[in-house]
């Protein structure tokens, strides 16, 4: 018996588009670039040779077109894993649920999802301007814990090692992090020979969860020192950002392929930051468009 998704679970707008993104199924390409900033969509689409469709709703700005003979969709997600939950689930619905019958299509349509973002470097070898490809992500957000099959796509031994290292085992006030791998082939292709590969922490916020203290003291003032020193099978935690874990985890659960690449705009060890990064990120966009 086929699974039916009622209007309360899969909300479809009157024009046949999916609820939040306002994208119709036929507008979606197999290759998808995700960016946080809605303004960055125009930067990506500026490299397109042709444009088919464009729509904007809230923070979700979408353009589908062609670039170098490849059909590509670029979507802005806004900030945070909660928004990634919306975007990835709605993209999958567009690809794999028949909007007329509200049933799963008989064959999986696999999407290739690459997030282009910015991040904070956590190692001496990730100074401002470095490109980092997330080989593994540690999710501080807890989003994947709400989905069945979470343990089948996560690196459970590394989760235990990280919990023990941080001293979070048995602490009810500590996060419940999950560890998930990006798609191996996609990492090889996108990272190439010129990007740093490592472990990314996807934080649930920009300030306290990333060890930034303004007027509220931190629960653990030594959190970042511990994170910077963590090592697992030769890998170190290279950077902080806020979306990679949910993207990699949901993609794996849904049968898609995903990775995240970021440009370091602040190095937490060196206490340096570049607020004028928007011009220089265009080179990273060109690189991803070439390799996707």
């Amino acid at each position: 018996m086929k699974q039916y998704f009622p209007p309360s679970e899969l909300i479809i707008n009157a024009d046949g588009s999916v609820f939040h993104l306002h994208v119709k199924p036929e507008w979606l390409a197999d290759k998808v670039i995700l960016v946080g900033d809605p303004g960055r969509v125009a930067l990506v689409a500026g490299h397109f040779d042709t444009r088919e469709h464009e729509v904007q709703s809230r923070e979700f700005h979408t353009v589908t077109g062609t670039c170098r003979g490849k059909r590509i969709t670029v979507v802005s997600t806004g900030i945070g894993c909660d928004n990634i939950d919306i975007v990835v689930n709605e993209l999958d619905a567009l690809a794999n649920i028949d909007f007329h019958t509200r049933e799963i299509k008989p064959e999986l349509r696999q999407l290739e999802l690459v997030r282009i973002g910015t991040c904070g470097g956590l190692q001496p070898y990730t100074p401002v301007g470095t490109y980092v490809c997330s080989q593994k992500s540690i999710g501080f957000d807890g989003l994947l814990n709400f989905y069945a099959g979470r343990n089948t796509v996560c690196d459970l031994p590394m989760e235990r090692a990280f919990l023990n290292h941080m001293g979070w085992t048995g602490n009810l006030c500590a996060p419940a992090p999950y560890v998930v791998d990006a798609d191996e082939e996609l990492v090889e292709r996108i990272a190439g020979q010129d990007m740093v590969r490592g472990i990314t922490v996807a934080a649930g916020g920009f300030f306290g969860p990333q060890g930034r203290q303004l007027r509220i003291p931190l629960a653990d003032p030594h959190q970042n020192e511990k994170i910077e020193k963590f090592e697992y099978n030769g890998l170190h935690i290279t950077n902080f950002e806020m979306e990679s874990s949910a993207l990699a985890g949901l993609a794996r659960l849904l049968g898609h392929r995903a990775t995240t690449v970021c440009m370091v705009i602040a190095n937490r060890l060196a206490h340096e930051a570049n607020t004028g990064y928007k011009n220089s990120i265009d080179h990273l966009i060109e690189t991803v468009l070439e390799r996707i």
Side-chain angles (χ1 to χ4, degrees):
M1 185 176 178
K2 292 184 177 180
Q3 185 176 0
Y4 173 81
F5 301 96
S8 61
E9 309 306 297
L10 173 61
I11 305 175
I12 300 174
N13 299 315
D15 64 355
S17 64
V18 73
F19 184 56
H20 293 93
L21 300 184
H22 281 256
V23 173
K24 297 182 181 181
E26 61 270 23
W27 297 357
L28 179 65
D30 290 341
K31 295 178 182 291
V32 182
I33 291 176
L34 304 176
V35 295
D37 183 356
R40 200 172 295 153
V41 171
L43 197 59
V44 176
H47 295 279
F48 286 4
D49 302 311
T50 64
R51 295 194 189 195
E52 301 172 20
H53 305 284
E54 181 170 2
V55 65
Q56 185 160 10
S57 174
R58 304 185 190 185
E59 61 265 64
F60 309 115
H61 183 193
T62 304
V63 177
T64 295
T66 59
C67 181
R68 307 181 188 189
K70 297 174 283 192
R71 189 169 186 249
I72 298 172
T73 295
V74 55
V75 185
S76 62
T77 65
I79 297 174
C81 286
D82 50 346
N83 276 18
I84 293 293
D85 185 59
I86 291 171
V87 172
V88 173
N89 274 290
E90 291 199 353
L91 289 175
D92 177 75
L94 289 166
N96 291 299
I97 297 176
D98 187 317
F99 276 28
H100 298 290
T101 64
R102 292 180 168 275
E103 296 174 345
I104 298 175
K105 294 178 181 178
E107 292 186 11
L108 175 71
R109 178 184 171 192
Q110 188 179 66
L111 302 176
E112 192 170 282
L113 306 161
V114 179
R115 173 176 130 67
I116 302 174
T118 56
C119 67
L122 291 170
Q123 299 296 338
Y125 54 85
T126 57
V128 168
T130 304
Y131 296 161
V132 179
C133 186
S134 303
Q135 189 170 336
K136 286 178 174 285
S137 291
I138 303 176
F140 282 11
D141 55 284
L143 186 140
L144 217 65
N145 299 327
F146 289 89
Y147 289 94
R150 168 248 197 260
N151 284 358
T152 64
V153 300
C154 288
D155 186 334
L156 301 183
M158 182 173 159
E159 285 181 13
R160 287 192 290 271
F162 183 74
L163 282 169
N164 289 335
H165 175 81
M166 296 298 292
W168 287 351
T169 305
N171 183 353
L172 297 179
C173 295
Y178 58 94
V179 178
V180 61
D181 291 333
D183 182 81
E184 185 176 353
E185 187 280 329
L186 201 53
V187 169
E188 287 295 322
R189 178 157 36 102
I190 300 296
Q193 302 301 314
D194 52 5
M195 295 187 190
V196 171
R197 307 180 193 191
I199 305 170
T200 296
V201 167
F206 184 77
F207 290 95
Q210 294 188 35
R212 287 185 175 92
Q213 179 178 324
L214 295 183
R215 292 205 316 113
I216 306 173
L218 299 174
D220 181 0
H222 302 291
Q223 172 187 292
N224 282 17
E225 295 172 33
K226 297 174 188 175
I227 288 172
E228 290 154 11
K229 292 176 181 176
F230 179 71
E231 185 269 336
Y232 187 80
N233 289 345
L235 287 175
H236 293 85
I237 295 175
T238 48
N239 59 318
F240 266 133
E241 54 87 76
M242 296 177 66
E243 291 87 16
S244 63
S245 58
L247 174 59
L250 291 174
R252 283 197 171 274
L253 287 174
L254 291 166
H256 303 302
R257 306 168 64 222
T259 192
T260 291
V261 291
C262 288
M263 184 176 76
V264 176
I265 63 169
N267 185 279
R268 305 300 298 282
L269 284 175
H271 299 288
E272 61 180 4
N274 173 23
T275 58
Y277 65 87
K278 293 190 177 181
N279 293 328
S280 53
I281 201 170
D282 197 46
H283 179 262
L284 177 57
I285 290 170
E286 288 180 345
T287 301
V288 172
L289 285 170
E290 179 184 336
R291 297 175 184 177
I292 194 173

